Amino acid sequence: MSATATTSTASPTPPATTDPIRLAVIIGSTREGRLGSTVGGWFTALATAHGNTEVDLIDLADAELPAVHPDWGTEPTPALAALTARVDAADAFVVVTPEYNHSFPAVLKHFIDLHREEWQAKPVGFVSYGGAGGGLRAVEQLRLVFAELHCATVRETVSFHKVTGEVFAADGPAHNPEGAAGAAKAMLDQLDWWARALRTARTAHPYG
């Protein structure tokens, strides 16, 4: 009688549901006099206080992005490699964007295109600001971009309409701050659910 030996491969241990979510907040405007840093700072403070969330603020005004996309397989610059590591480490993203001519800033698209696998199977939320449209047309186009990168964009958004320096103070919007904070909480709650679900799935079954 012969015996057949079997070996079992242990599945990766999913992160505990109580582990913090690593949220990268990306400020997508680099224009002089921009409101992006003000809006982004306000949201970052809310996200930090949301609970069980580690926030990494990526301000593209401070990023050293290569002018030309490196060819696939070539070594990235040290600055780009450091940014890529931060994108890869994140469980979820929030993009803070204005609306320029019915779209989003070119520097934001360049930053997105410099990465690929690092975005995949992760949720993305949006905080937008602008004129009468509140930046929502930029968000709609960004949803298409992130769908191509295999991301899950959440439904809830935060948008500020007719935003100027007079109506958005350093500590938040001057008009209906409770409503803006409530919208941010709803989006953060959705991001938290998706981030935990997708992180568990990526651990058990690496994406792609």
Side-chain angles (χ1 to χ4, degrees):
M1 180 168 57
S2 62
T4 302
T6 59
T7 59
S8 61
T9 303
S11 300
T13 303
T17 57
T18 55
D19 288 352
I21 289 299
R22 297 181 296 273
L23 173 66
V25 177
I26 302 165
I27 299 178
S29 172
T30 59
R31 284 188 179 181
E32 185 175 355
R34 64 185 180 149
L35 283 171
S37 55
T38 302
V39 177
W42 166 81
F43 179 79
T44 297
L46 287 180
T48 301
H50 185 255
N52 213 20
T53 304
E54 296 176 354
V55 181
D56 179 18
L57 180 62
I58 301 176
D59 190 340
L60 297 190
D62 300 327
E64 297 179 28
L65 302 180
V68 179
H69 194 299
D71 294 332
W72 298 116
T74 61
E75 286 294 323
T77 64
L80 179 57
L83 279 172
T84 299
R86 293 166 70 181
V87 174
D88 190 44
D91 296 309
F93 306 96
V94 168
V95 177
V96 180
T97 183
E99 182 179 314
Y100 296 159
N101 299 321
H102 285 224
S103 189
F104 51 93
V107 66
L108 176 56
K109 183 61 162 64
H110 182 48
F111 174 75
I112 293 170
D113 289 345
L114 286 171
H115 307 95
R116 190 167 183 83
E117 290 83 1
E118 294 81 10
W119 299 113
Q120 292 180 353
K122 297 176 183 179
V124 184
F126 303 98
V127 176
S128 65
Y129 59 96
L136 292 177
R137 289 171 292 199
V139 169
E140 288 306 305
Q141 293 191 32
L142 281 167
R143 289 187 187 279
L144 298 176
V145 173
F146 279 109
E148 178 64 19
L149 292 166
H150 302 248
C151 291
T153 60
V154 301
R155 181 188 181 280
E156 298 298 329
T157 62
V158 183
S159 62
F160 297 100
H161 301 252
K162 298 182 180 179
V163 173
T164 65
E166 288 73 36
V167 300
F168 203 105
D171 58 349
H175 303 293
N176 193 21
E178 295 83 5
K185 181 183 183 303
M187 184 177 69
L188 285 165
D189 286 344
Q190 282 192 352
L191 277 172
D192 185 86
W193 189 94
W194 279 101
R196 294 183 187 283
L198 291 174
R199 184 173 66 182
T200 299
R202 291 195 312 274
T203 301
H205 306 285
Y207 188 79

